[in-house]
């Protein structure tokens, strides 16, 4: 099938590349000339594991192309995926101006029937507004339009695997023709007929994804409802961590027991510095505003936001208490991205922590496997080093802010010897407290007994 993907950000690039790899003919378009030039030269503007191989394979096979000509892409496609950004306005509501602009371009260019699919995360009733916009903007054209919603559930860092092996594919439609067309688009994934570069040579055996057909309004609500609930679980675990610190409990023991209950599940019950990134904070804000706009007071989600905001200050209190005086202390920071396996620093808690450290006069050295370059564009007064061991050398404190596997696997005996003071503040509960104590570290984390020591122990 001939498909157009409008918007070459995280969602658009993964969607277009994976659909092309599965056998469709995809034209991907973006209004950023530099981005399209980069993609046409075979380079990616984002870091996403496995995406480079998928894009290269699909491009080499002639099924994926990139252009700045949105009209051409829309005119030649049978179905059009809208994957443009919907950033938050100052009010917290989603900015839908990019979708409105795309609707205008699609309507002006189309001369034949099209299925227009919302892939961007949008508030409920956007589909209705999009349908109206296509009708109004397309009055002088010859095209007719059907609208559908197909929310994405891609996690940065595992987005390619998520696309090839989804647990569910949600399609919101108002007619059987749109349902059948979307079913045909996703048939390779429903039947396992695709080449997956993530699990070569063979994908793990698992259940086929659920193809869930809903109304457009329900599909639009599902994405916001899902992300908001995940944020709720994280904030709940963080409040439990606070309670454990006051009562002598261990949050990992508590949440592990909770997660064994199949009604709760283990995922997103990790206490720490809180959630960041572009999706959860934005979607929770938008869901709160959407509810309020329609007379529903979503106080529960307001507290989820409040708990998450407090994590950074609570962590800084741990830093201040451990260091006594922050000014002029040499502080090493490991991790700048909002989560591992991505270079995305949008709303990253680590960025806020570093800004507070520098504002209080700390001398900060920082490292991240892939996000340091992006962080360098927004952080001032920070020395960026590629080698985490150099970050730790002669440091008065070492802060773990992103749970990269590379940091868990460091030679901590070596780090103990290299630091001016063996003080580790683990904002992601990555390391085992007992092991850190055995090595001689002063070690602090969230919701677990602080097994720090003032006795200098020389590791064997």
């Amino acid at each position: 099938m001939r498909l157009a993907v409008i918007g070459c950000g995280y969602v658009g690039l993964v969607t277009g590349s994976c659909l092309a790899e599965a056998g469709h003919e995809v034209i991907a378009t973006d209004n950023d000339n530099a981005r399209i030039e980069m993609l046409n030269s075979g380079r990616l503007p984002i870091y996403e594991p496995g995406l480079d191989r998928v894009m290269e394979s699909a491009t080499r096979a002639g099924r994926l192309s990139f252009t700045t000509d949105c009209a051409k892409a829309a005119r030649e496609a049978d179905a059009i995926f809208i994957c443009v950004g919907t950033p938050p306005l100052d009010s917290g509501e989603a900015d839908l101006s990019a979708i409105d602009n795309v609707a205008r371009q699609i309507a002006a260019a189309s001369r034949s029937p099209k299925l227009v699919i919302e892939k961007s995360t949008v508030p409920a009733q956007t589909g209705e507004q999009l349908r109206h916009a296509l009708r109004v903007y397309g009055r002088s054209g010859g095209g007719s339009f059907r609208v559908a919603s197909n929310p994405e559930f891609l996690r940065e860092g595992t987005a390619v695997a998520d696309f090839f092996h989804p647990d569910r594919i949600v399609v919101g439609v108002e007619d059987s023709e749109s349902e059948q067309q979307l079913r045909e688009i996703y048939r390779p994934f429903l039947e396992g007929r695709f080449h997956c570069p993530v699990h070569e040579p063979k994908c793990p055996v698992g259940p086929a994804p659920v193809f869930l057909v809903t109304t457009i309004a329900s599909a639009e609500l599902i994405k916001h409802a899902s992300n908001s609930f995940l944020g709720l679980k994280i904030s709940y675990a963080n409040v439990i961590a606070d309670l454990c610190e006051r009562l002598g409990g261990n949050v990992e023991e508590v949440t592990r027991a909770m997660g064994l209950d199949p009604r709760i599940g283990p995922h997103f019950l990790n206490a720490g510095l809180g959630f960041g990134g572009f999706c959860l904070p934005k979607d929770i804000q938008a869901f709160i505003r959407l509810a309020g706009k329609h007379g529903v007071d979503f106080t529960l989600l307001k507290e989820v936001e409040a708990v998450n905001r407090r994590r950074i200050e609570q962590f800084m209190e741990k830093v201040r208490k451990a260091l006594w005086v922050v000014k002029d202390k040499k502080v090493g920071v490991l991790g700048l991205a909002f989560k591992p396996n991505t270079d995305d620093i949008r709303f990253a808690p680590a960025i806020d922590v570093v800004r507070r450290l520098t504002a209080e006069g700390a001398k900060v050295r920082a490292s991240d496997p892939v996000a340091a370059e992006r962080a360098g564009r927004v952080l001032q007064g920070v020395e960026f080093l590629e080698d985490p061991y150099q970050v730790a050398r002669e440091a008065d404190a070492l802060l773990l802010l992103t749970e990269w596997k590379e940091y868990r696997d460091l030679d901590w005996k070596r780090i103990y010897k290299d630091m001016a003071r063996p003080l580790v503040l683990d904002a992601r509960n990555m390391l085992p407290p007992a092991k850190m104590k055995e090595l001689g570290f002063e070690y602090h984390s969230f919701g677990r007994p602080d097994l720090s020591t003032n006795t200098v122990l020389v590791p064997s």
Side-chain angles (χ1 to χ4, degrees):
M1 193 177 297
R2 292 172 301 175
L3 306 175
V5 172
I6 302 180
C8 291
Y10 280 93
V11 174
L13 281 176
V14 173
T15 298
S17 298
C18 292
L19 287 172
E21 183 67 5
H24 297 292
E25 182 183 335
V26 177
I27 304 176
T29 180
D30 198 284
N31 60 7
D32 186 332
N33 291 334
R35 174 164 292 213
I36 294 299
E37 287 179 10
M38 178 181 289
L39 290 167
N40 278 324
S41 68
R43 294 175 295 131
L44 280 168
I46 60 172
Y47 176 82
E48 183 62 43
L51 182 56
D52 53 348
R53 285 176 287 162
V54 177
M55 191 181 84
E56 180 185 3
S57 174
T59 304
R60 189 171 60 247
R63 293 191 299 269
L64 177 64
S65 60
F66 300 98
T67 179
T68 56
D69 191 344
C70 178
K72 177 179 184 293
R75 194 164 46 245
E76 296 182 1
D78 301 309
I80 303 165
F81 285 87
I82 298 179
C83 301
V84 296
T86 55
L89 298 167
D90 291 340
S91 65
E93 294 182 277
D95 181 354
L96 302 177
S97 58
I99 291 182
D100 179 68
N101 183 52
V102 165
R104 187 186 297 272
Q105 294 181 66
I106 292 172
S110 299
R111 295 294 180 269
S112 59
K114 307 288 182 186
L115 174 62
V116 180
I117 305 157
E118 301 171 337
K119 196 71 174 173
S120 302
T121 300
V122 296
Q125 299 186 326
T126 300
E128 183 180 327
Q129 295 165 331
L130 176 60
R131 185 188 295 109
H132 176 72
L134 289 166
R135 185 170 60 250
V136 170
Y137 295 146
R139 284 178 301 173
S140 59
S144 61
F145 305 97
R146 288 172 287 110
V147 171
S149 176
N150 175 216
E152 54 88 11
F153 302 101
L154 306 176
R155 299 165 295 173
E156 289 185 38
T158 60
V160 174
D162 291 343
F163 201 99
F164 281 119
H165 302 284
D167 47 20
R168 80 279 205 204
I169 298 171
V170 176
V171 296
V173 297
E174 302 296 347
D175 61 273
S176 60
E177 186 178 354
S178 297
E179 176 188 339
Q180 290 306 313
Q181 196 167 355
L182 280 160
R183 195 180 292 274
E184 193 61 32
I185 290 172
Y186 283 107
R187 189 172 298 282
F189 306 97
L190 295 170
E191 298 179 355
R193 294 187 290 103
F194 56 85
H195 168 252
C196 171
V198 178
H199 301 113
E200 291 180 322
K202 187 177 180 180
C203 296
V205 177
V210 175
F211 190 81
L212 181 62
V213 181
T214 73
T215 63
I216 292 177
S218 290
E220 292 168 335
L221 282 166
I222 285 167
K223 177 60 187 295
H224 276 129
S226 297
N227 274 359
S228 296
F229 187 73
L230 295 178
L232 186 151
K233 288 186 75 174
I234 294 170
S235 286
Y236 186 88
N238 281 326
V239 174
I240 296 298
D242 294 343
L243 194 57
C244 285
E245 289 185 5
R246 286 158 178 76
L247 299 178
N250 186 322
V251 68
E252 289 182 341
E253 294 174 348
V254 175
T255 55
R256 181 174 184 273
M258 290 172 57
L260 292 173
D261 186 330
R263 297 169 300 176
I264 298 174
H267 303 297
F268 285 79
L269 283 176
N270 299 318
L273 194 55
F275 57 81
F278 197 58
C279 288
L280 261 62
K282 174 179 74 75
D283 290 353
I284 290 172
Q285 280 190 9
F287 211 27
I288 291 171
R289 301 306 183 276
L290 176 68
K293 188 176 180 180
H294 294 277
V296 177
D297 184 0
F298 222 146
T299 302
L300 180 64
L301 285 185
K302 295 176 184 177
E303 186 56 27
V304 168
E305 278 192 311
V307 168
N308 198 58
R309 283 194 300 268
R310 291 196 294 266
R311 301 314 287 172
I312 293 170
E313 179 56 30
Q314 286 175 251
F315 182 69
M316 285 302 301
E317 282 299 318
K318 290 178 181 287
V319 173
R320 296 183 193 109
K321 182 177 179 181
L323 283 175
W324 185 35
V325 175
V326 174
K327 185 178 180 181
D328 294 329
K329 294 291 173 62
K330 297 177 181 177
V331 179
V333 167
L334 297 181
L336 296 162
F338 86 93
K339 63 180 285 189
N341 299 317
T342 180
D343 61 350
D344 196 347
I345 60 168
R346 293 175 295 179
F347 300 106
I351 300 298
D352 283 339
V353 169
V354 172
R355 283 179 173 144
R356 294 195 185 207
L357 288 168
T358 56
E360 294 186 26
K363 299 176 181 178
V364 179
R365 290 180 296 192
S367 181
D368 188 284
V370 298
E373 181 180 350
R374 287 182 184 268
R377 300 172 195 163
V378 300
L379 293 175
Q380 306 296 322
V382 177
E383 181 182 3
F384 294 95
L385 300 171
E386 186 174 340
D387 186 356
Y389 293 104
Q390 291 298 317
V391 171
R393 186 178 297 277
E394 297 301 320
D396 297 302
L398 187 62
L399 278 52
L400 287 164
L401 302 184
T402 309
E403 57 271 41
W404 286 94
K405 182 180 182 296
E406 289 90 330
Y407 298 151
R408 185 180 290 108
D409 296 339
L410 290 173
D411 182 348
W412 287 96
K413 287 185 179 181
R414 173 181 171 184
I415 289 176
Y416 175 89
K417 294 175 182 177
D418 287 347
M419 291 184 70
R421 175 185 173 186
L423 169 63
V424 172
L425 294 112
D426 184 353
R428 296 298 182 181
N429 288 6
M430 289 175 58
L431 305 175
K435 177 184 177 182
M436 298 304 285
K437 179 181 179 180
E438 181 183 341
L439 291 174
F441 284 97
E442 298 174 63
Y443 177 80
H444 305 277
S445 57
F446 277 109
R448 304 187 296 179
D450 282 337
L451 300 178
S452 56
T453 178
N454 293 321
T455 304
V456 177
L457 302 176
V458 180
S460 58

